[in-house]
Amino acid sequence: MYIAKPESKPKPRRLLGLSQAVIAIGAVGGLLLAPPAFGQLAFYPISPAADRALPGIVFQDGRRAVARTALGGGYVMQGARPPLSELLFEHGILVLAVPQGGCTGAVSGT
Amino acid sequence: MEHNEINALRTKGVIGIAIAGWAASLSLAALIPAMGTQAFHALAASVLLNLLPTIAAWQRRYDSAARMAVALMAALQPALMLYALRGAPWQIDMHMYFFVAIATLTILCDVRPILLAAATVALHHLILSIAAPSWVFSGGGGVNRVFIHALAVVLEAGVLCYIATTLNSLITRIGSALAESEQATRSAEEALRLADSERAERSRLESNLAARRREDMLRIAADFESSVSEVTMAVAKSARALDEVMHSLDENARDTGQQAGEVAAAASQVSNAIDAVAGSVTELSRSIGNIAVTAGRQDELASEAGTRTETGGDAVRSLANQSKTIGDATRSIAEIAEMTNLLALNATIEAASAGDAGKGFAVVAQEVKQLAAQAARATREIEDLLSGISKGTGEAENSFGKLSGAIAELARSAMTVRSDVDSQRAATSSIEQTMGDTAAGTEQMAHNSAVLANRASTTQKLSGDARQNVKALLETIHSLERSAGDFVASIKAA
C-alpha cells in the first residue's frame, strides 16, 4: 500500500496556489496580447532609437497603418507580423495583438 | 484528521493530473505544424501552467494549495486547446475536455478543486465570449450557448462534488475500519507475542528461581553453618572465660570469707581496746575535774593574796608618811638645840664679862651647851633612824608592788589553767562520745564482717554451681555444633 509522506512544509502551501493563479492569469493575458502572424498588430518603441526607426519599419512588407496607439506613441498596423525576436532585440520594438476594445486599440485613422 | 488512504489517493491524483497536463502540452506541440503560431503560444502557456503542479507532484504534495493549483491547470488546459484550434472545425469538440478535466479532479476527494475548476471554466466562457469569442466558439456561439455549457459544467460539478464527498467519507470509513482492523491485528499479534514472551519469561524465571533458590539454600546453609560455628565458638569462648571468672570468683570468695573472719576478730579486739580507752578517758575526765577544782581554789587564794598585799602596801605608805612627820619634828628639835647652844654661848660670854660673879653662871651655861650638843646628837641619830625607816618602807612598798604583780600573774595563770581544764573537759567529753560511737561502729563492723563472711561462703557455693552449669553449657554447644553440621549436610545433599 502506498503511504504518502506527511506534510512537512506548511507555509508555502498558499503560495503555491496563489502563484498558480498568477501564472494562469498571466498565461491567458499573454495569449490575449500575443501577436498573430497576420492581422492587426500594435508596434511599440521601447527606446529613443526605436522611436526614430519605427516609421521605417512598420511600413515594410506591405503593412498598412490603421491608427496610432492610444498609449506609448506606437502604430496599429494591418498586415503580416515580422519575426518577433528581430524586432525586439535588433530594433527595440515590441509587437502586441490588438484585441477589440483594449488600450492598444486604434484611436484615430491615418 | 484525514486518513493516509485519502492522502495517498490525492497524491496519486496530483501526479496523474500533472502528467495529463504534460500530455496536453504534447498535444499542443503536435498542433503547431497545423495551427502555427497560435498553437505555439498555447503550448508556451500550457508549459507555464504545468510548472507548479509538476513541482508539487515531484514533492509528493497533496495539500489544498497543490490541489487548487492542479485544478486551475486542469481547467485551463482545454481552454488552451480551444485557443490553439481557433478557427478550426474541431474547436467545438475540445469543449468535451473541460468535462474530462473537471471529472478528473474527483480523484482529489475534495470539492474545492472541482468548484474552482468549474468556476474557472464558467468565467473563461463568459469573459472570452465577450472579449474574444473566437477563442471559445468558432463563428461565435452567443450567450445562449455559453449558458448551456455553463449549466452542464454546474451540473457536472454538483454531481462530482457529491461523488467526491461520498468518496471521501467512504475512504475515511474504510480507512478507519482498516486502521481498526490493523490495530486489532497488531494488538492480537502483540498479545500473542507478549503471551509467548511471558511464557518464555515465566519458564526462564522459574528455572532461574529454582537455581537461585538452591543457591540461596546453599548460601543460607553455608551462612548458617558459619554463623552457628561462630556463635558456638563465641559461646564456648565466653563459657570458658566465664568458667575462669567463676574460678577466680570462687577463690576471691574464699579469700573474702577468710579476710572477713580476720576483720571480725580484729574488730572485736579493737572494740575491747576502745572500751579500755574509754575507761581511761573517764578517769582522765575525773582527774581534769579535780584539777579544775584546784585551779578554782588557786584563783580564789590569789585574789585574797592580792587584797592583802594591797592592804600591806597601804600600811607601809602610812608608815612612810609618819616617818616624814617625825623627821620634821626632829629638824625642829635640832633647830631648838642649835638655838640653845647659841644661847649658852652668849651666856658664857656674859658670864666671862661678869668675872667671878659670873663663874657659876658660866658653869650652868656650859652645862646647857653640853645638853644642846647632846640634843643635837640625839637629833642626828633620830634622823639616821628615820632615814633607815624611809629606805625600808620604800623597799617594802616596792616589794609589795612586785608581790601584787606576781599575785595578779598567778591569778591570770589560774584562770588560764581553769579555761584549759574546761577545754580539756569538753575534749574528753567529745572523746568519750567518739569512743562510744567508735565502739558501736566497731561492733557493727564486726557484725558486717560476719555477714560478709557468710555471703562469701554463699558466693563460693554459687560459683561452684555456676562452673557446673558452664560445663553443661559447653557440652550443649558441642551438641549444637554436631546438630548444625548434620543439618547443613542434609541441605547440601537435598
Side-chain angles (χ1 to χ4, degrees):
Chain A
M1 175 181 288
Y2 175 82
I3 297 175
K5 293 180 182 178
E7 297 178 14
S8 58
K9 294 180 180 179
K11 283 189 177 181
R13 289 176 186 169
R14 293 184 182 277
L15 186 61
L16 180 68
L18 188 62
S19 301
Q20 183 69 357
V22 171
I23 289 173
I25 293 170
V28 175
L31 290 178
L32 286 172
L33 297 177
F38 185 87
Q40 287 192 349
L41 303 171
F43 291 79
Y44 286 98
I46 57 178
S47 68
D51 193 16
R52 289 190 297 272
L54 182 63
I57 293 172
V58 296
F59 291 101
Q60 292 177 359
D61 301 328
R63 283 185 289 272
R64 182 175 56 86
V66 177
R68 297 297 300 271
T69 58
L71 300 173
Y75 292 91
V76 178
M77 305 299 291
Q78 177 71 36
R81 171 178 56 81
L84 292 176
S85 58
E86 180 185 337
L87 284 176
L88 183 62
F89 297 116
E90 293 184 5
H91 303 290
I93 297 171
L94 181 63
V95 182
L96 298 177
V98 183
Q100 292 180 348
C103 60
T104 58
V107 294
S108 62
T110 56
Chain B
M1 180 178 176
E2 294 177 331
H3 288 272
N4 286 332
E5 287 74 14
I6 294 177
N7 295 332
L9 191 60
R10 285 173 174 169
T11 306
K12 288 178 181 178
V14 169
I15 295 171
I17 293 169
I19 292 171
W22 285 109
S25 296
L26 287 175
S27 300
L28 289 172
L31 290 176
I32 289 175
M35 301 306 297
T37 304
Q38 59 190 31
F40 178 78
H41 292 164
L43 173 62
S46 175
V47 170
L48 282 175
L49 287 173
N50 281 332
L51 288 177
L52 292 181
T54 303
I55 292 172
W58 186 265
Q59 294 177 345
R60 299 292 191 272
R61 290 182 59 174
Y62 54 85
D63 53 273
S64 61
R67 296 197 294 270
M68 300 302 270
V70 167
L72 203 53
M73 182 271 288
L76 290 177
Q77 289 291 356
L80 297 176
M81 297 291 288
L82 292 180
Y83 176 82
L85 292 172
R86 188 175 44 177
W90 289 2
Q91 185 192 34
I92 191 66
D93 299 318
M94 291 299 110
H95 286 84
M96 300 291 289
Y97 287 97
F98 283 114
F99 300 104
V100 173
I102 295 172
T104 305
L105 297 175
T106 311
I107 195 171
L108 299 177
C109 301
D110 189 2
V111 297
R112 288 174 295 178
I114 296 170
L115 295 176
L116 176 63
T120 302
V121 171
L123 285 174
H124 167 266
H125 279 60
L126 286 173
I127 292 171
L128 292 183
S129 64
I130 297 170
S134 62
W135 288 23
V136 183
F137 300 110
S138 296
V143 178
N144 294 332
R145 178 177 280 175
V146 172
F147 278 114
I148 289 171
H149 283 239
L151 179 61
V153 169
V154 169
L155 291 175
E156 184 194 16
V159 172
L160 292 176
C161 286
Y162 172 75
I163 292 172
T165 305
T166 305
L167 186 62
N168 197 341
S169 176
L170 286 173
I171 291 175
T172 300
R173 281 190 286 177
I174 290 171
S176 298
L178 192 61
E180 290 176 359
S181 173
E182 290 178 351
Q183 182 63 30
T185 304
R186 281 196 297 272
S187 299
E189 290 175 353
E190 183 67 15
L192 286 173
R193 192 183 61 76
L194 285 176
D196 292 340
S197 175
E198 287 181 357
R199 196 161 37 245
E201 183 68 14
R202 191 181 301 115
S203 174
R204 189 181 63 78
L205 287 177
E206 287 175 354
S207 175
N208 290 341
L209 190 61
R212 190 177 300 171
R213 189 180 299 117
R214 176 165 177 76
E215 289 177 359
D216 290 342
M217 290 295 290
L218 291 175
R219 184 175 51 77
I220 289 170
D223 293 344
F224 177 71
E225 186 178 16
S226 175
S227 300
V228 167
S229 176
E230 290 178 358
V231 169
T232 53
M233 287 177 65
V235 172
K237 185 178 179 181
S238 300
R240 281 191 288 275
L242 183 62
D243 184 49
E244 292 176 357
V245 170
M246 288 300 156
H247 180 68
S248 299
L249 183 62
D250 185 35
E251 290 180 350
N252 288 336
R254 191 179 300 114
D255 292 342
T256 302
Q258 185 178 353
Q259 289 176 3
E262 292 174 357
V263 169
S268 178
Q269 292 176 0
V270 169
S271 179
N272 293 333
I274 287 172
D275 289 340
V277 171
S280 298
V281 169
T282 303
E283 286 294 326
L284 178 62
S285 179
R286 247 191 319 270
S287 175
I288 289 171
N290 293 333
I291 291 170
V293 171
T294 305
R297 181 60 181 163
Q298 185 182 354
D299 188 23
E300 291 174 357
L301 290 175
S303 298
E304 188 176 354
T307 304
R308 291 185 180 180
T309 302
E310 288 178 358
T311 304
D314 292 341
V316 170
R317 278 189 292 277
S318 178
L319 181 60
N321 291 331
Q322 289 177 0
S323 295
K324 286 180 181 177
T325 304
I326 292 170
D328 292 339
T330 303
R331 275 188 295 274
S332 295
I333 293 168
E335 288 176 356
I336 292 169
E338 188 178 353
M339 288 176 67
T340 303
N341 185 32
L342 186 58
L343 187 58
L345 183 57
N346 288 330
T348 302
I349 293 168
E350 289 293 330
S353 319
D356 297 334
K359 288 180 178 178
F361 195 71
V363 172
V364 171
Q366 189 65 33
E367 287 293 328
V368 169
K369 188 178 178 182
Q370 288 179 353
L371 287 175
Q374 287 177 357
R377 283 196 300 271
T379 301
R380 283 194 295 270
E381 288 176 359
I382 290 168
E383 286 181 349
D384 290 339
L385 288 172
L386 287 174
S387 177
I389 289 168
S390 178
K391 185 179 180 183
T393 54
E395 290 178 352
E397 190 175 2
N398 191 21
S399 297
F400 272 114
K402 293 180 178 177
L403 182 60
S404 178
I407 288 170
E409 183 68 24
L410 181 61
R412 282 195 297 273
S413 297
M415 289 183 67
T416 303
V417 168
R418 193 169 62 182
S419 175
D420 292 341
V421 167
D422 289 340
S423 299
Q424 287 179 354
R425 289 181 67 184
T428 50
S429 177
S430 177
I431 289 170
E432 278 184 317
Q433 181 66 30
T434 303
M435 292 307 293
D437 294 341
T438 305
T442 306
E443 288 180 0
Q444 184 65 35
M445 186 174 68
H447 175 71
N448 291 339
S449 298
V451 172
L452 179 61
N454 187 18
R455 290 183 180 174
S457 175
T458 304
T459 303
Q460 186 177 0
K461 182 176 179 302
L462 290 175
S463 64
D465 295 341
R467 291 189 69 186
Q468 292 298 324
N469 290 330
V470 167
K471 289 179 181 176
L473 178 61
L474 287 172
E475 292 178 357
T476 304
I477 289 168
H478 292 318
S479 175
L480 178 62
E481 283 181 334
R482 286 193 296 276
S483 300
D486 295 340
F487 174 69
V488 172
S490 63
I491 287 178
K492 290 180 178 177

